[in-house]
Amino acid sequence: MLLEALQTRQLYEDLVVVFLSDHGEGLYQHGILGHGWDLHREAIQIPLILRVPGLARGQRIEDPVQQIDLLPTLLDLLAIDDSESHQGRSLKPLLEGSYSEEDSDTPLLAYLDYEGRKGMSLILGPWKLIEPLSSSFSSGRQLFHRVRDPDERTNLASEYPVLAGYMATRVRAELLEFEKLSEPERMEFDEQTREELRALGYLQ
């Protein structure tokens, strides 16, 4: 209905439309129902749908990207010159088909810290590592080949210990950089907003 209303008002053709989820849902693929407990594909691989005026429609891009890429992408698409440094990278070259092989090898990270469960995942080319950062997260390091094992069923960490160790080192290095970031500004919510967040399960 929203898009129809925009079309009726003749605003749709000039809009950048973004469809994005914040997370996926586990349906017992790895013994979990819901989200916030692990970093397997079903929990963190989500669709990103972009409709950009002037760019080809109907194309499907298989390269995985990160949610933090969205802000620099939108700024780039809107030709907004923002000198502030942002995490992530613009996906405009990818949308235009000019992404380089080097860009496609950029490491992709996901971090989880929920109720004492801490872990981090790293995607590097066809490989994905899930590294526990707390004893309650998982029993150990997990390494998967994303092409041969898209459902992440076979842990190859013991079969490829050097690769798993190298990727774990990358995870630790990225974590150090992450911890250097300043603490986020504390926000105060009015009671109505707090009730809405509580109804969604984000506040106790």
Side-chain angles (χ1 to χ4, degrees):
M1 293 182 64
L2 173 61
L3 296 182
E4 291 176 356
L6 292 170
Q7 289 172 337
T8 299
R9 299 182 183 184
Q10 298 183 340
L11 298 173
Y12 177 75
E13 291 303 321
D14 295 326
L15 282 181
V16 174
V17 179
V18 180
F19 178 86
L20 177 67
S21 172
D22 55 346
H23 55 74
E25 290 290 319
L27 299 175
Y28 293 116
Q29 294 95 328
H30 292 90
I32 300 295
L33 177 63
H35 64 273
W37 294 96
D38 63 28
L39 293 168
H40 284 292
R41 175 184 178 182
E42 59 270 13
I44 66 172
Q45 184 168 323
I46 55 176
L48 169 60
I49 300 174
L50 289 170
R51 185 266 179 194
V52 181
L55 291 184
R57 302 183 183 185
Q59 61 175 324
R60 180 171 181 171
I61 300 171
E62 298 292 340
D63 300 60
V65 297
Q66 303 178 100
Q67 289 170 314
I68 59 172
D69 296 332
L70 184 57
L71 176 58
T73 299
L74 292 176
L75 293 174
D76 197 3
L77 289 172
L78 298 174
I80 296 176
D81 183 12
D82 187 0
S83 58
E84 184 178 349
S85 176
H86 297 288
Q87 289 182 287
R89 63 196 193 282
S90 173
L91 302 176
K92 185 180 178 183
L94 180 61
L95 298 173
E96 295 174 336
S98 58
Y99 228 43
S100 68
E101 186 174 336
E102 181 180 346
D103 290 325
S104 64
D105 288 335
T106 299
L108 306 177
L109 299 154
Y111 177 72
L112 174 68
D113 182 354
Y114 182 69
E115 295 189 356
R117 296 168 55 84
K118 295 183 180 181
M120 200 164 183
S121 72
L122 168 68
I123 292 177
L124 197 58
W127 294 96
K128 176 180 176 180
L129 181 86
I130 300 178
E131 179 76 354
L133 301 176
S134 69
S135 58
S136 60
F137 179 79
S138 72
S139 58
R141 182 174 294 161
Q142 300 173 76
L143 178 69
F144 303 101
H145 194 286
R146 298 170 49 247
V147 178
R148 297 196 297 260
D149 181 24
D151 295 327
E152 299 174 3
R153 297 293 185 185
T154 305
N155 183 2
L156 300 174
S158 60
E159 187 174 343
Y160 297 94
V162 175
L163 174 61
Y166 166 72
M167 293 183 69
T169 301
R170 293 284 299 266
V171 164
R172 299 288 173 169
E174 294 290 346
L175 185 62
L176 287 175
E177 289 298 316
F178 175 75
E179 290 176 343
K180 289 178 183 177
L181 298 176
S182 60
E183 287 291 322
E185 181 180 348
R186 184 176 180 83
M187 297 183 65
E188 295 296 334
F189 300 110
D190 58 47
E191 191 55 35
Q192 179 181 349
T193 302
R194 293 182 65 85
E195 287 299 322
E196 292 172 353
L197 290 171
R198 192 173 290 114
L200 292 170
Y202 290 107
L203 293 178
Q204 300 295 322

